[in-house]
Amino acid sequence: MSGHSKWASIKHKKAIVDSRRGKAFTKLSRHITIAAKDGGGDVAGNASLALAVQKAKDASMPKDNIQRAIDKGTGAGADAASYENVMYEGYGPGGVAVLVEALTDNRNRTGADIRHMFTKAGGNLGEPGSVAYLFDRKGVIVVDGEKHDEDALMVAIEAGADDIEDEDGTFVVVTEPGALPDVQKALDAEGIAYESADLVYRPQVRTPLDEEGAEKLAKLIDALDDNDDVSEVHANFDVDDDVLERVFG
């Protein structure tokens, strides 16, 4: 997609500088707790936990907060047990496919809230499986091409990455989900800085949007992001770079 890597960067920066840091910390803590509950508290042996902890560190979450979240998942875990991962699927403005990852202790409440947001935006929430087939689960690392060349990134391939894509001077390292932590470690060991590293749902096909459609979609994504239960939003839109910067920047 035109501007896809910029979109990844914009989302990453938005998360880091979010003035509602307390709200961001709450979401990050939930991810850590659930990951520790599902796979244990050893960061080295739990890829999901390693990614959740790294995101928390990137957002400047205090170490004590991170450890408390891990302990909550591995201990009695009453809070962790009450939360579950839920995926919501639907179509937004312009027929864009949207996947919404949520951590919720009340499916009915969260489902009703998300359905309302889709309807208000002119879209509709679908049944499970209605759009997920249009996406692939991948690890994605975004690297600034002005700071590192493609040859320097070959270490990522050696560490298990599937591909390195050049998107208008920005490199996107693509991995299988389980290989993401190893590839990150390889880049870190070589001193290669990256804009973001995430597990995402990558669209197989993209739906073009004009500026008006992009503005409507941006409102839906912002509303979803503001919901306490929503952790990630993925959409298969395609817009021109200048529109992307104006609408989502």
Side-chain angles (χ1 to χ4, degrees):
M1 161 190 147
S2 174
H4 173 71
S5 57
K6 290 187 178 129
W7 167 238
S9 178
I10 288 166
K11 280 193 67 178
H12 179 66
K13 290 173 183 175
K14 178 177 180 292
I16 298 302
V17 303
D18 192 353
S19 61
R20 296 164 296 175
R21 184 157 290 185
K23 190 173 190 178
F25 281 4
T26 297
K27 290 190 177 188
L28 290 166
S29 293
R30 282 189 200 168
H31 276 286
I32 293 171
T33 297
I34 292 295
K37 171 178 173 284
D38 291 342
D42 178 14
V43 174
N46 184 340
S48 295
L49 179 60
L51 184 61
V53 168
Q54 187 57 54
K55 283 188 175 182
K57 289 179 178 178
D58 289 344
S60 300
M61 179 184 283
K63 291 173 66 175
D64 288 348
N65 292 37
I66 293 173
Q67 190 59 51
R68 276 198 299 271
I70 293 174
D71 292 343
K72 188 180 292 185
T74 57
D79 290 341
S82 67
Y83 283 95
E84 59 179 325
N85 290 295
V86 184
M87 179 75 77
Y88 297 94
E89 307 176 34
Y91 285 96
V96 170
V98 181
L99 291 180
V100 182
E101 295 182 77
L103 279 171
T104 180
D105 59 353
N106 187 326
R107 276 176 173 259
N108 291 335
R109 179 198 68 228
T110 305
D113 288 346
I114 291 176
R115 184 178 299 278
H116 174 71
M117 292 178 216
F118 269 84
T119 301
K120 185 176 180 181
N124 61 283
L125 193 63
E127 297 296 321
S130 57
V131 302
Y133 70 94
L134 296 171
F135 296 80
D136 293 318
R137 186 66 162 165
K138 295 289 184 181
V140 170
I141 302 173
V142 178
V143 181
D144 187 344
E146 293 184 359
K147 296 179 180 178
H148 305 282
D149 60 28
E150 190 168 2
D151 287 342
L153 298 181
M154 285 300 108
V155 64
I157 298 295
E158 295 169 4
D162 292 339
D163 195 13
I164 299 172
E165 301 173 359
D166 185 349
E167 296 188 1
D168 298 325
T170 296
F171 294 113
V172 178
V173 180
V174 182
T175 79
E176 291 301 314
L180 180 60
D182 288 340
V183 175
Q184 284 184 265
K185 288 177 185 176
L187 294 176
D188 290 339
E190 294 296 321
I192 297 174
Y194 40 88
E195 297 283 333
S196 62
D198 291 289
L199 285 174
V200 304
Y201 285 90
R202 297 195 88 200
Q204 298 170 4
V205 295
R206 298 188 180 276
T207 301
L209 282 181
D210 58 16
E211 185 158 358
E212 181 181 356
E215 288 174 349
K216 292 178 179 177
L217 180 65
K219 288 180 181 178
L220 172 59
I221 291 174
D222 284 343
L224 290 167
D225 277 338
D226 283 341
N227 185 281
D228 287 342
D229 296 332
V230 172
S231 50
E232 297 288 345
V233 181
H234 312 276
N236 73 339
F237 67 98
D238 187 8
V239 298
D240 291 337
D241 286 347
D242 58 339
V243 174
L244 185 82
E245 296 288 357
R246 283 200 301 274
V247 175
F248 292 96

